[in-house]
Amino acid sequence: MSPRSSKNVTLEVEGTDRMYLNDYVPRLQWEQGVVGFVQNHRGQPVASSALMAPRTQAFVRQTN
């Protein structure tokens, strides 16, 4: 290890949903990415946060 990383380091994660998006789906961090996901991947004509609620709730249940 380099001298800079030889000390103990603690990682505290307060929002796993943001970590998940940053690590795996960075395009969903942008409005255009969310609209494209909802319209192209989910097949919905209008991008609405109401459409994402069931997915978010399922994700939260899996992480608890």
Side-chain angles (χ1 to χ4, degrees):
M1 294 189 117
S2 71
R4 291 185 195 126
S5 62
S6 63
K7 295 182 181 181
N8 292 332
V9 176
T10 301
L11 172 64
E12 182 178 332
V13 177
E14 294 182 13
T16 56
D17 59 332
R18 293 303 269 187
M19 183 178 76
Y20 178 79
L21 289 175
N22 287 330
D23 287 345
Y24 296 105
V25 192
R27 289 183 184 170
L28 292 182
Q29 294 293 311
W30 302 323
E31 291 176 26
Q32 298 89 349
V34 174
V35 170
F37 174 78
V38 171
Q39 292 178 342
N40 299 323
H41 182 71
R42 303 292 293 164
Q44 301 295 324
V46 177
S48 168
S49 59
L51 297 171
M52 297 307 293
R55 293 177 65 87
T56 300
Q57 292 164 354
F59 176 78
V60 170
R61 279 193 303 274
Q62 291 176 0
T63 57
N64 288 332

